[in-house]
Structures are given as C-alpha cells and as structure tokens.
Amino acid sequence: MKQTIAHISLVVNDYDEAIAFYTNKLDFTLIEDTYQPEQEKRWVVISPRPIQPEQLSC
C-alpha cells in the first residue's frame, strides 16, 4: 500500500523568514499567505516543486 504525507504543520517565530528560507533556499512554491485576524497569525501554505524521476537517487 502506497503511503504519502499530505500536510505537516510547523510553528515558526518569523513567517517572512520561514517563507524566504523555504522558497529561496529549498525552492518551494508559496501557495497561500493569509492573515488570520481572529488569531493574530498567518496561514501559510508552501509546496515542494514536482520532482522529475531523473532527480531521484537510490
């Protein structure tokens, strides 16, 4: 049976610093960045770029 991880949650001290790290250093794509005023925080969703089969190493 194939198993995958669909989502994980990370708590960060600085949203902008975390977004910069994941998008600039790890080449992830920013999907959503929405301020949640009732909780005084942001909802940020990022995604890794698709991996081509030739990029996989065994």
Side-chain angles (χ1 to χ4, degrees):
M1 174 172 55
K2 182 179 175 182
Q3 296 181 350
T4 61
I5 296 175
H7 297 92
I8 64 166
S9 297
L10 299 174
V11 177
V12 299
N13 290 326
D14 185 308
Y15 290 100
D16 294 320
E17 183 179 303
I19 290 168
F21 173 77
Y22 281 97
T23 58
N24 297 332
K25 299 286 185 182
L26 299 181
D27 202 29
F28 280 37
T29 301
L30 179 63
I31 305 296
E32 181 179 356
D33 182 2
T34 306
Y35 180 64
Q36 304 290 316
E38 64 279 355
Q39 297 177 14
E40 294 187 22
K41 56 181 151 181
R42 287 159 62 183
W43 176 258
V44 177
V45 179
I46 58 171
S47 174
R49 296 184 188 273
I51 297 175
Q52 301 302 319
E54 60 272 7
Q55 294 175 296
L56 298 175
S57 60
C58 298

